[in-house]
Amino acid sequence: MREGAVLTAADVLQDNPQETVRHELTHLFSSFWGKFEPPLKSEGLATWLQGTMGGEPIDFHALVILVGDAYLPLCLLVDERTFHQHGRDAYTLAGSFTGFLVRRFGWDAFMGFFAQANARNFEAAFERTFGMTFFAAEREWRKELLSRRTEFEPNLSALVRRRRIKAAYFAGEFVRCLEECDAALRTDDTHWEVFWYAAVAHKALGNYEQAVALLEQVVRKDAIAVCPYRADAWLQLGNLYDLLGRRDKATAAYQQTLNEPDCWDSEDGSAHEQARRYLRQPFTERELYQQLKSRWKW
């Protein structure tokens, strides 16, 4: 008798443990059907069978990507390295495409494909099993997905707007980011990310007072999703108060950063460590300039 186990980090289970467990159990059982590679096949199946992502249908999130950002062709997701470079988006698109294949061709056909396909013969096995090319199937999947847009409104439009806000910010297009934030706020979208990206865009443009007003709204929000970022929000507030010459308020914000669970940034590291540094020495505009220069390669 073969035995298996599922091991996952505790923090992954905090948001939606049911989704994570279903995803990992699918990997466990699908290992009896065929090889893991390529991830478009195996992660697609696991993502589809987890049922939802953050409580919303997989197809909903795939539509957000399709409508709200530059399209990611599925052929790029056959290669394992490329797949993992695209993170959550790759899992989402692969999961939605898998659901389309199961609906269109049935479980027996899909399981036959899963058993045959590997990284070397993927497209040939696909066409042999489903009677159409991978590219043609992708086109049909997109058409079906786009035809269902009204099914997911108004949440779809709200999430698309937030995705465009983030895309503009990370492209260094701060004015466009603020325009997108203003458009979202006019629709009464008070999601914390709208205030967050408006604040950091204002900070990058040197509009410190506006950034403070927006970040103060973020730290007052008690949504569960804000909790992992609250330390960073207080840290950013401390930086802004330093830039405005309000050292007493900056010190209080840095102290509050230390009262929250630590928040780690891939480039800047620990929020707690930074707060302790800025308690010793104020954050300066020169440091802000260096951050911007480094992050956007100016």
Side-chain angles (χ1 to χ4, degrees), residues 90-286:
Y91 286 80
T92 303
L93 295 176
S96 177
F97 184 62
T98 298
F100 163 80
L101 293 177
V102 171
R103 289 192 301 272
R104 178 68 64 91
F105 300 104
W107 273 111
D108 288 344
F110 182 82
M111 289 177 68
F113 165 69
F114 195 99
Q116 296 176 46
N118 57 47
R120 293 180 299 279
N121 72 355
F122 180 84
E123 293 194 25
F126 189 99
E127 188 168 357
R128 186 168 58 247
T129 302
F130 300 121
M132 65 191 310
T133 65
F134 178 43
F135 186 73
E138 179 179 0
R139 181 172 62 244
E140 291 300 307
W141 162 70
R142 284 200 313 268
K143 286 167 58 178
E144 180 192 279
L145 205 54
L146 288 167
S147 73
R148 298 171 58 199
R149 286 181 66 168
T150 57
E151 178 185 333
F152 299 112
E153 294 294 1
N155 290 349
L156 175 66
S157 291
L159 209 59
V160 165
R161 279 192 300 269
R162 288 178 217 143
R163 189 176 181 92
R164 288 174 176 167
I165 286 169
K166 287 186 271 191
Y169 175 76
F170 287 111
E173 298 173 1
F174 305 129
V175 173
R176 184 167 73 85
C177 176
L178 290 173
E179 289 172 347
E180 296 282 358
C181 289
D182 288 342
L185 292 171
R186 284 197 297 272
T187 67
D188 295 324
D189 185 352
T190 58
H191 191 275
W192 70 273
E193 283 189 334
V194 178
F195 293 99
W196 176 276
Y197 284 101
V200 290
H202 273 303
K203 179 183 177 183
L205 292 170
N207 305 326
Y208 306 140
E209 292 281 6
Q210 294 94 319
V212 165
L214 290 157
L215 273 178
E216 285 180 339
Q217 295 191 61
V218 173
V219 296
R220 285 198 295 268
K221 288 183 177 291
D222 56 6
I224 293 174
V226 183
C227 293
Y229 308 100
R230 204 180 299 279
D232 193 27
W234 280 109
L235 178 71
Q236 297 290 333
L237 266 176
N239 289 171
L240 287 161
Y241 284 132
D242 269 338
L243 293 170
L244 289 167
R246 303 174 190 168
R247 185 58 181 166
D248 55 337
K249 282 185 168 290
T251 299
Y254 296 137
Q255 293 289 359
Q256 187 60 43
T257 302
L258 298 174
N259 292 336
E260 303 287 346
D262 203 358
C263 179
W264 288 78
D265 182 88
S266 59
E267 294 189 32
D268 299 325
S270 161
H272 283 189
E273 182 179 333
Q274 292 178 75
R276 284 190 285 268
R277 182 166 79 248
Y278 295 132
L279 280 169
R280 296 191 297 269
Q281 183 174 342
F283 182 79
T284 66
E285 199 163 65
R286 180 175 178 79

